[in-house]
């Protein structure tokens, strides 16, 4: 729970949880409690800074509160199931500001942890070789964290020799890389 009053104390903002964890493609809700401790009716605008706008849904971006009135609001965080929702901790700030007196602002900081997801796809060009030759192994990092890949050829029948093994690729989320392998029929 994070609780922050405004500078004059007229406005109190409480957020919980302030540091949620969420999987890409899923949702997590942060509960906000807003209290007008002032002597006058006021309108407040709510915004979240530090995260992409498409990750955030605010239940009520503007609210009117009578003196001593409290209200509950929600902020839903929903990073997409894409490589752009990088795994790890992302800091943010929730800002509530009086529309009558913009200096009357309460800010609370938090961080959302986007669960790291490691996924990749693999292809070869060409896919089929008749009498050996070269094939380019293409790897695409489809996860949301940087990953390293070690290129090793395997043939359960032990009929193929691989040359050029041991290549390493370090790929950022969404990045594609390739490595050339030489394949030949094993001498019997």
């Amino acid at each position: 729970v994070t609780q922050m009053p405004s500078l004059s104390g007229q406005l109190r903002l409480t957020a919980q949880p302030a540091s949620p964890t969420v999987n890409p493609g899923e949702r997590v809700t942060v509960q906000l409690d807003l209290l007008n401790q002032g002597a006058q009716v006021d309108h407040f605008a709510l915004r979240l800074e530090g995260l992409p706008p498409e990750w955030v849904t605010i239940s009520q971006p503007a609210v009117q509160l009578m003196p001593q009135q409290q209200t509950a609001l929600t902020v839903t965080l929903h990073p997409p199931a894409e490589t752009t929702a990088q795994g790890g901790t992302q800091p943010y700030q929730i800002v509530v500001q009086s529309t009558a007196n913009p200096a009357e602002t309460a800010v609370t900081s938090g961080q959302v942890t986007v669960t790291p997801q490691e996924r990749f796809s693999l292809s070869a060009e060409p896919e089929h070789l008749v009498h050996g030759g070269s094939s380019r192994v293409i790897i695409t990092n489809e996860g949301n964290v940087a990953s390293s890949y070690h290129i090793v050829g395997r043939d359960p029948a032990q009929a193929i020799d691989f040359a050029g093994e041991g290549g390493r690729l370090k790929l950022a989320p969404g990045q594609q890389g390739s490595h050339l392998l030489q394949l030949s029929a094993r001498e019997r």
Side-chain angles (χ1 to χ4, degrees):
V1 176
T2 302
Q3 183 172 313
M4 291 300 297
S6 60
L7 213 45
S8 73
Q10 175 189 337
L11 176 62
R12 189 181 77 208
L13 172 64
T14 305
Q16 73 175 12
S19 300
T21 298
V22 63
N23 292 322
E26 294 182 7
R27 299 173 172 274
V28 66
T29 300
V30 177
Q31 178 74 38
L32 303 177
D33 290 314
L34 187 58
L35 172 62
N36 179 2
Q37 299 180 122
Q40 296 181 15
V41 175
D42 205 342
H43 291 80
F44 299 96
L46 173 72
R47 67 181 184 276
L48 189 138
E49 298 174 347
L51 296 178
E54 60 273 12
W55 289 25
V56 179
T57 302
I58 299 171
S59 63
Q60 277 184 275
V63 64
Q64 174 185 315
L65 293 177
M66 302 296 287
Q68 304 307 310
Q69 183 183 6
Q70 182 170 334
T71 191
L73 306 169
T74 59
V75 174
T76 304
L77 306 175
H78 43 86
E82 298 172 5
T83 59
T84 57
Q86 268 204 307
T89 302
Q90 313 283 336
Y92 66 85
Q93 289 188 321
I94 297 171
V95 180
V96 178
Q97 187 172 40
S98 166
T99 56
N101 179 9
E104 192 62 39
T105 302
V107 178
T108 186
S109 297
Q111 59 187 24
V112 60
T113 300
V114 178
T115 307
Q117 306 283 314
E118 292 193 38
R119 290 189 307 269
F120 69 94
S121 62
L122 178 71
S123 63
E125 291 180 4
E127 288 185 20
H128 303 287
L129 297 171
V130 178
H131 299 290
S134 298
S135 183
R136 183 161 302 280
V137 176
I138 302 161
I139 299 174
T140 304
N141 181 351
E142 296 175 345
N144 66 352
V145 291
S147 295
S148 293
Y149 304 92
H150 182 72
I151 312 301
V152 178
R154 298 267 191 260
D155 174 26
Q158 298 183 348
I160 300 173
D161 280 327
F162 297 91
E165 290 183 291
R168 292 191 181 275
L169 295 173
K170 182 166 179 130
L171 301 176
Q175 188 178 17
Q176 187 176 76
S178 66
H179 185 77
L180 193 62
L181 284 179
Q182 299 289 328
L183 293 83
S184 59
R186 184 170 279 174
E187 302 271 331
R188 296 192 181 221

